[in-house]
Amino acid sequence: MTRGISASIEGLVPDPGKSLPCPTCGQALQEQDDWVACGNDQCSMWGMSLSVWSVHRRLVAAGRDAPAPGAGWPRPLYDGLPHTYLTPVAAGRAWWRHVDALRLEQCQTQWLCQVCGLRLEHQAWLLVDAGGLVLMSSALHRRCVDLSMARCPALSIEQPTERQVVREQILVNGRPWPLVYATNRPEGILPALWTLATPIA
């Protein structure tokens, strides 16, 4: 649910029967940090670092997997935890350490919640780390902050600060949010890092 909810959830062991297949050769992909890779040296994708979300989209397009849950509330559960809109779901499991970059871009540019994927009000909430970076560089509803803080193991360790903001208070790669996201699909922005323009009491 942040670098939090979608990243490093300790103690969850993936079911080996739910491996993500290579979209080219069909063999199980091997997990490598934030990527997956095909270990079949006869495959054209052998050794390439692939994002889970991009592999999953290819499998969905080919009719070989179901789409990840869409926007909405309440969130479905995987491994007993609420699924966040940014977390890929492929081969029947949530890939907690991974982020769907296209959905993240959607949340950033269209002012959607990173947890439920629904439209945010004029004011929304950010989770900010000790260094001033906005976790997942996207905003949340109040109820989604509460859900995240209560259920995400990574956030219980990180202990981010909750901040209520409007878009004009956010800097995107050092530039004001309204200027950067003047169009729905700005070029050359991702990965975009969000920080606060001014300290918020």
Side-chain angles (χ1 to χ4, degrees), residues 19-21 52-70 76 78 83 87-95 100 103:
S19 299
L20 190 62
V52 169
W53 67 268
S54 64
V55 171
H56 178 244
R57 285 174 190 270
R58 289 181 63 177
L59 293 171
V60 170
R64 295 168 56 196
D65 204 349
Y78 288 86
H83 170 261
T87 302
V89 173
R93 64 177 256 221
W95 295 69
D100 186 320
R103 285 190 172 188

Side-chain angles (χ1 to χ4, degrees), residues 88-142:
V89 173
R93 64 177 256 221
W95 295 69
W96 298 110
R97 294 179 59 245
H98 301 262
V99 174
D100 186 320
L102 287 184
R103 285 190 172 188
L104 175 57
E105 181 186 39
Q106 223 180 13
C107 289
Q108 291 178 334
T109 60
Q110 298 175 34
W111 199 235
L112 304 178
C113 177
Q114 63 169 272
V115 171
C116 69
L118 298 174
R119 182 85 178 166
L120 293 161
E121 301 296 330
H122 180 65
Q123 288 191 321
W125 291 84
L126 303 178
L127 298 176
V128 183
D129 71 12
L133 288 178
V134 176
L135 300 183
M136 275 319 311
S137 291
S138 50
L140 306 87
H141 295 105
R142 177 69 252 177

Side-chain angles (χ1 to χ4, degrees), residues 148-169:
S148 300
M149 296 300 288
R151 300 296 302 279
C152 176
L155 289 181
S156 67
I157 296 169
E158 185 137 13
Q159 294 291 307
T161 302
E162 302 169 16
R163 301 289 192 190
Q164 189 174 25
V165 299
V166 294
R167 285 171 277 199
E168 290 74 16
Q169 293 172 291

Side-chain angles (χ1 to χ4, degrees), residues 22-25 37-40 43-50 55 58:
C22 173
T24 301
C25 72
C38 183
N40 177 7
C43 178
S44 62
M45 300 187 83
W46 174 62
M48 294 173 59
S49 293
L50 307 166
V55 171
R58 289 181 63 177

